[in-house]
Amino acid sequence: MSLAVNFMRSSPRWRADAALRAVTATGLMTVGVIHALEIQGQLSGAAWLTIGFALLAGVAPLAGIWLLIQPSAATWTLAGLVSLSAALGYVLTRAIAVPGDLGDRGNWLEPLGLAALIIEWIVVILTSLALSRPQASAERVPANTGAEKREASA
């Protein structure tokens, strides 16, 4: 139970880089806006795809806002998973013909889709960096200097 609580809890490590959080949140909000703009074009296609676009249009900006308000490992993970799932969905629908969306196969250069894909991969990279970076300097235990070692041995 405490592991889950610690995973959700905000710490200085996750708050340390406001610029990284702001760029990631902006990317998520942009992904949401792009997918909201594309919903109209999906209405004549498969219902599952329209629902996916609508969910992404709502979840991506909310994940970005949550990252700004309550940064934690959980919010960084959500940001990465939302963007990764959107990017993989784009690649999937372009690589193979999926039910209800046969026309997008091979359509790699659709302008808004390509813009979203680039932003999604940037967000994935930023979240990977945030989740893999060492703890913030405020949380590090200072190393003993030579003078402290001499005092400790005396």
Side-chain angles (χ1 to χ4, degrees), residues 43-139:
L43 292 176
S44 60
W48 66 270
L49 199 55
T50 304
I51 292 168
F53 269 72
L55 285 173
L56 196 52
V59 171
L62 289 176
I65 292 168
W66 189 25
L67 183 62
L68 291 174
I69 294 171
Q70 187 65 36
S72 67
T75 54
W76 280 106
T77 301
L78 177 64
L81 290 175
V82 166
S83 291
L84 182 62
S85 63
L88 292 177
Y90 184 87
V91 170
L92 176 71
T93 58
R94 273 35 182 200
I96 62 172
V98 296
D101 191 31
L102 304 175
D104 274 336
R105 183 167 185 257
N107 185 18
W108 290 97
L109 299 178
E110 194 274 316
L112 280 178
L114 195 56
L117 182 66
I118 292 167
I119 295 166
E120 290 154 3
W121 282 115
I122 290 171
V123 169
V124 168
I125 291 166
L126 293 176
T127 57
S128 298
L129 290 172
L131 289 169
S132 65
R133 72 183 190 180
Q135 291 184 346
S137 59
E139 290 185 277

